Amino acid sequence: MALIVQKFGGSSVANAECVNRVAGIVADTYAEGNDVVVVVSAQGDTTDDLIDKANEINPNHSRREHDMLVSAGEQISIALLAMALEKIGLPVISLLGWQAGFSTNSNHTFARIKKIEKERLMSELDQHKIIVVAGFQGLNKYDDITTLGRGGSDTSAVALAAALHADKCQIFTDVTGVYTADPRKVPGAVKLDEITYDEMLELASCGAQVLNNRSVEMAKKYNVNLEVLSSIKREPGTIVKEAIKLEKMLIRGVAKDNDVVRVSVLRLPDQPGIAFKLFSRLAAKNVNVDIILQSAGRDGTKDITFTVPLSAEDQAREAALAAFPDLTDDDFIVDAGVSKISIVGAGMETHPGTASQMFEALYDANINIQMISTSEIKISVLVDEKDADKAVSAVHESFFPED
Ligand code: ADP
Ligand code: ASP
Ligand code: MG
């Protein structure tokens, strides 16, 4: 007998028909003799709707109350799915995050799971019950509800799979697996049978929302046997694992991230310690800096340009002003109309022409590159947001030509 964790995202439980379909999948898994722990997200656009409601009442609400509100979405889903399973005569119990033992740190809206206390889960499993757990939520040391960041139910599922030493963790969603690009945006995208944790982590971190990046990080750390598959079409999905069989594919996928703002700090003194002064202030504010570009010094000054998530624009401004109090408005330029396009693949490590192939595809599509960054298995470029979809298609077509 195996223990299987199955996670169903918002679109998979969007309405009664979907919930019943999910119940059918869970029931079949249970009927095969497996222990089943299910994680569900809020139905459809519920989380977005709750966030809109919060902003309507008070756009400056505290993060604690934010979590109190948005965690409600998952509570609805677990009860509905449990009811659907009761209807077909199965032993089931729904549990909120805290009831399932999720304890987190206190970083409201982006909390990290610290531990899962397994007693309750184990006792329900001992009674052969199907457990339906609310994703995306936990409890901090003050007994306040926290949430794990958008898309956090994936992380809840992987964390449960790791804690319970599950035989596999299946992430059911509205597409049939991980593709070489978002299959809803790029018609020629190809489904991957397998992908490594490292490649998936880069794709997820670069905007491929099919898996939350923290969930992949955790799956790698605990070697969780992970599969992404469809809740609608019953067919094998994409396996995410440590090492995959060698394929000729140079890159595994193209991703787009619109959650980027480009910040330029101009006319800084061209002397040692300037970058440290700026980036240490940003680090102290926990700002996640991505691409960094420093101009060559000219006439005793230099410019530093970097990207941060949209939500960090104000912190970036505060950090720059704290580091350089004489900074004028003319010397601090912010542009939110940018997108980051990335290609990811372990194959590029041994292929020096990969970057130039990407740049050629962008040149042929007449798209200007504003910034570039590379790592061993990833190349990212910053482009104008209005060119972003065209850029993804052009780059995808170059690496995955349609016959
Ligand atoms: P869920 O509600 O199940 O958590 P998400 O909306 O978070 O689902 O993730 C699934 C979506 O991810 C798909 O509908 C697809 O549009 C998008 N997506 C982006 N990049 C990719 C990719 N490379 N492969 C598959 N899906 C992708
Ligand atoms: N409901 C949450 C969200 O919309 C968590 C999730 O879907 O994974 O972000
Ligand atoms: Mg998701």
Side-chain angles (χ1 to χ4, degrees):
M1 188 161 80
L3 170 59
I4 300 180
V5 174
Q6 300 188 313
K7 178 256 169 179
F8 297 89
S11 50
S12 302
V13 292
N15 53 38
E17 186 191 341
C18 297
V19 172
N20 283 323
R21 187 185 305 124
V22 166
I25 297 173
V26 174
D28 288 350
T29 313
Y30 185 77
E32 284 160 13
N34 302 300
D35 280 330
V36 192
V37 178
V38 185
V39 173
V40 278
S41 300
Q43 293 187 285
D45 296 329
T46 303
T47 309
D48 289 333
D49 294 345
L50 289 171
I51 292 171
D52 288 347
K53 272 190 211 292
N55 290 332
E56 199 184 327
I57 296 280
N58 174 7
N60 297 317
H61 57 266
S62 65
R63 287 161 64 191
R64 181 194 184 276
E65 298 311 328
H66 183 101
D67 282 351
M68 187 61 100
L69 181 71
V70 299
S71 59
E74 272 68 15
Q75 180 161 359
I76 296 172
S77 301
I78 54 168
L80 291 175
L81 179 58
M83 291 170 188
L85 289 161
E86 282 176 344
K87 188 172 66 180
I88 44 183
L90 292 173
V92 57
I93 183 156
S94 65
L95 299 175
L96 288 168
W98 66 268
Q99 294 174 302
F102 277 79
S103 67
T104 72
N105 67 11
S106 291
N107 188 11
H108 280 286
T109 75
F110 205 56
R112 262 187 193 278
I113 300 167
K114 284 167 59 181
K115 198 173 177 208
I116 299 180
E117 301 286 355
K118 292 188 287 188
E119 285 72 21
R120 178 73 186 268
L121 293 166
M122 295 315 290
S123 102
E124 303 296 350
L125 285 174
D126 283 347
Q127 297 167 60
H128 298 292
K129 283 194 197 154
I130 296 170
I131 308 177
V132 183
V133 179
F136 179 53
Q137 53 176 256
L139 203 66
N140 69 11
K141 64 177 174 195
Y142 308 108
D143 285 350
D144 285 332
I145 291 181
T146 54
T147 63
L148 309 178
R150 298 305 306 268
S153 298
D154 296 338
T155 315
S156 308
V158 173
L160 273 174
L164 297 170
H165 305 290
D167 296 278
K168 60 180 165 182
C169 180
Q170 296 181 307
I171 306 285
F172 288 86
T173 183
D174 56 357
V175 288
T176 52
V178 179
Y179 281 68
T180 50
D182 185 342
R184 296 185 184 285
K185 304 262 173 60
V186 181
V190 183
K191 185 172 134 186
L192 302 168
D193 292 332
E194 297 181 325
I195 185 166
T196 65
Y197 292 128
D198 288 335
E199 290 171 320
M200 191 62 236
L201 184 56
E202 290 285 10
L203 273 183
S205 306
C206 289
Q209 78 184 66
V210 60
L211 278 178
N212 173 291
N213 56 351
R214 277 186 177 175
S215 73
V216 186
E217 212 171 62
M218 194 177 292
K220 178 177 164 70
K221 185 167 174 194
Y222 296 102
N223 207 13
V224 172
N225 182 348
L226 194 62
E227 183 181 12
V228 177
L229 67 174
S230 166
S231 65
I232 301 154
K233 269 195 190 167
R234 298 230 191 165
E235 61 179 49
T238 302
I239 305 286
V240 189
K241 57 188 200 180
E242 187 59 41
I244 64 174
K245 56 181 181 293
L246 277 178
E247 287 192 51
K248 279 200 286 258
M249 251 184 213
L250 187 56
I251 71 162
R252 311 286 293 167
V254 186
K256 176 184 84 168
D257 190 357
N258 283 340
D259 182 16
V260 201
V261 20
R262 193 191 61 195
V263 179
S264 298
V265 191
L266 307 181
R267 288 178 281 275
L268 292 169
D270 187 18
Q271 62 194 40
I274 292 298
F276 169 66
K277 225 172 162 179
L278 177 60
F279 291 106
S280 58
R281 294 289 201 304
L282 287 160
K285 288 181 178 293
N286 255 326
V287 174
N288 206 348
V289 178
D290 189 18
I291 310 178
I292 301 175
L293 187 77
Q294 178 176 296
S295 71
R298 258 184 85 212
D299 304 329
T301 69
K302 64 186 171 192
D303 305 333
I304 297 182
T305 302
F306 55 93
T307 62
V308 295
L310 284 168
S311 59
E313 181 184 327
D314 290 344
Q315 286 149 296
R317 188 184 301 272
E318 286 160 19
L321 273 173
F324 312 107
D326 298 336
L327 209 64
T328 66
D329 279 354
D330 286 348
D331 291 334
F332 186 86
I333 299 172
V334 173
D335 185 358
V338 291
S339 271
K340 189 174 78 168
I341 311 297
S342 307
I343 57 174
V344 171
M348 69 174 67
E349 258 184 292
T350 46
H351 281 81
T354 317
S356 99
Q357 186 176 340
M358 181 187 196
F359 303 156
E360 184 182 18
L362 293 166
Y363 166 57
D364 287 345
N366 200 22
I367 293 166
N368 188 40
I369 300 172
Q370 302 181 5
M371 294 172 90
I372 299 170
S373 86
T374 64
S375 76
E376 276 172 2
I377 64 164
K378 178 187 77 172
I379 301 168
S380 299
V381 296
L382 202 71
V383 301
D384 199 316
E385 194 173 351
K386 71 171 172 23
D387 291 331
D389 287 332
K390 194 165 85 169
V392 171
S393 298
V395 172
H396 189 272
E397 175 61 26
S398 168
F399 286 95
F400 303 98
E402 284 179 69
D403 338 279

